[in-house]
Amino acid sequence: MVNKHHITAATFCDGAAILRAGGLVAFPTETVYGLGADACNTAAVNRLFAAKGRPSFNPLIAHLATAEGVFEIAQETPSSRLLAQHFWPGPLTMVLAQQAHSQISTVATAGLDSCAFRVPANADAKALLTAFNGPVVAPSANPSGQVSPTTAGHVADGLGNKIDLILDGGRCQIGLESTVIDARGAVPRILRPGAITASMLAAVLGCDIGEITSAKSDDAVTAPGMLASHYAPHHAVRLNAAQPRPGEAYLGIGELPAHDGPCLTLSASGDLQEAAANLFAMLRDLDRTVIDGIAVAPIADDGIGAAINDRLRRAAAPRDDPTAAACRDRV
Ligand code: AMP
Ligand code: MG
């Protein structure tokens, strides 16, 4: 049985010691809970892939306490420097080339020369990374393909018996995984939408929003691991449902329609940030009720709404979608 620790100063040192010994430590970030392992320890990274059941072609994000720490091992580009100044610490992940002396395990990068990097803003994540003093790979702390955890309880539900420590820092503030961009060129390419939107990136870089392209979900070369089916509850998900059908649970936004079954609103006031923060926890809650499926209201595609819709599309995708198999074959 795993120890679920409420965080004290000592637990950061305990967490760092477990990471140094090759163990797995779940910790809060502002996006979702991450499952951390020493990025330079191949045995630890292999343990992480095994604990999650994550396909080996899906590369991990290396987390560091500071942007300076990232640029000690990653090759800086003009756009990455500027974006780091504006968005780190925060929910932006940048794919960059590695410097020759980088010790990050090739298992963590799925054999790619590049590596994804992030500096999280959450104070507990920062304290753990500072105590560890090196890159920590940390995918979401859940079995691969399932709904990401936004509380320590969610982590314990999915992985409790497979990991060494869970640091409990309460609910994650943003609730959706980071925006992932390829920052190697002059203009970034969005590999996964998140709280940092294309218009926010364009404003900082002084470019036209149209210049910032997005990878398609079947773009296996630039966005390995972005599978069509992901973030999936156990029950089927039906999107853009103005009304629930009899027997369905309903996940709405704003005021809820009358319904004789489980119903939750992502945000009573229709606020998209609040909706993002509630999305995964509410999908989990509805999934636990005995129902035929989960119907989800249409969500506006503005701002963080685009990231909510990306996660919902993957939650609703057929579980044996051929795109997933195609991705696997090509990487
Ligand atoms: P997560 O599943 O939240 O750990 O997100 C990691 C995602 O970032 C992966 O699924 C990839 O799509 C993307 N990623 C990580 N490393 C790279 C890389 N070197 N090149 C391109 N995409 C990457
Ligand atoms: Mg994940």
Side-chain angles (χ1 to χ4, degrees):
M1 190 57 195
V2 74
N3 292 322
K4 186 156 85 68
H5 278 268
H6 285 275
I7 295 175
T8 64
T11 50
F12 296 118
C13 296
D14 293 346
I18 291 171
L19 291 173
R20 251 175 245 122
L24 304 180
V25 176
F27 61 96
T29 82
E30 69 276 24
T31 60
V32 300
Y33 272 73
L35 180 58
D38 177 352
C40 302
N41 179 337
T42 295
V45 177
N46 276 325
R47 249 193 96 200
L48 191 158
F49 273 95
K52 277 183 61 78
R54 182 172 171 113
S56 59
F57 60 77
N58 192 352
L60 303 174
I61 298 170
H63 295 70
L64 286 116
T66 63
E68 292 67 35
V70 170
F71 292 121
E72 276 168 24
I73 49 178
Q75 287 183 30
E76 188 178 319
T77 58
S79 63
S80 64
R81 173 49 78 182
L82 205 53
L83 294 173
Q85 278 163 4
H86 279 83
F87 296 117
W88 279 352
L92 179 69
T93 294
M94 293 197 254
V95 172
L96 293 165
Q98 298 182 71
Q99 294 194 32
H101 62 82
S102 167
Q103 300 287 307
I104 290 178
S105 167
T106 54
V107 176
T109 60
L112 300 169
D113 294 334
S114 58
C115 182
F117 292 95
R118 184 163 97 86
V119 177
N122 176 287
D124 299 324
K126 194 179 168 88
L128 178 68
L129 293 169
T130 302
F132 180 69
N133 194 26
V136 172
V137 282
S140 55
N142 57 282
S144 188
Q146 296 182 17
V147 178
S148 298
T150 53
T151 68
H154 296 162
V155 179
D157 287 347
L159 293 176
N161 56 353
K162 294 189 172 149
I163 62 183
D164 302 302
L165 179 70
I166 302 172
L167 297 176
D168 185 351
R171 283 188 58 180
C172 298
Q173 210 190 335
I174 293 173
L176 295 181
E177 301 79 0
S178 60
T179 305
V180 180
I181 63 169
D182 184 340
R184 286 171 291 182
V187 179
R189 179 168 163 79
I190 297 183
L191 305 180
R192 176 174 72 189
I196 308 294
T197 61
S199 61
M200 291 162 76
L201 298 170
V204 166
L205 295 173
C207 65
D208 195 275
I209 183 171
E211 290 177 61
I212 298 180
T213 55
S214 293
K216 292 195 258 350
S217 64
D218 62 349
D219 193 346
V221 176
T222 47
M226 291 289 170
L227 301 182
S229 172
H230 211 98
Y231 318 110
H234 295 101
H235 288 93
V237 175
R238 184 169 70 86
L239 300 183
N240 296 314
Q243 294 281 337
R245 294 174 185 149
E248 282 182 331
Y250 191 63
L251 185 58
I253 185 160
E255 215 175 300
L256 291 169
H259 179 50
D260 195 18
C263 255
L264 291 171
T265 182
L266 288 165
S267 165
S269 65
D271 179 79
L272 289 174
Q273 311 279 347
E274 187 184 8
N278 284 330
L279 178 69
F280 289 142
M282 289 187 174
L283 279 175
R284 282 170 181 266
D285 286 347
L286 292 178
D287 209 21
R288 265 198 297 272
T289 61
V290 181
I291 41 165
D292 292 343
I294 304 171
V296 186
I299 309 287
D301 217 43
D302 316 329
I304 200 168
I308 296 175
N309 284 321
D310 170 78
R311 305 309 188 270
L312 284 172
R313 274 192 296 276
R314 293 177 206 271
R319 308 296 155 90
D320 55 353
D321 191 292
T323 316
C327 262
R328 222 167 277 137
D329 292 341
R330 284 158 58 191
V331 177

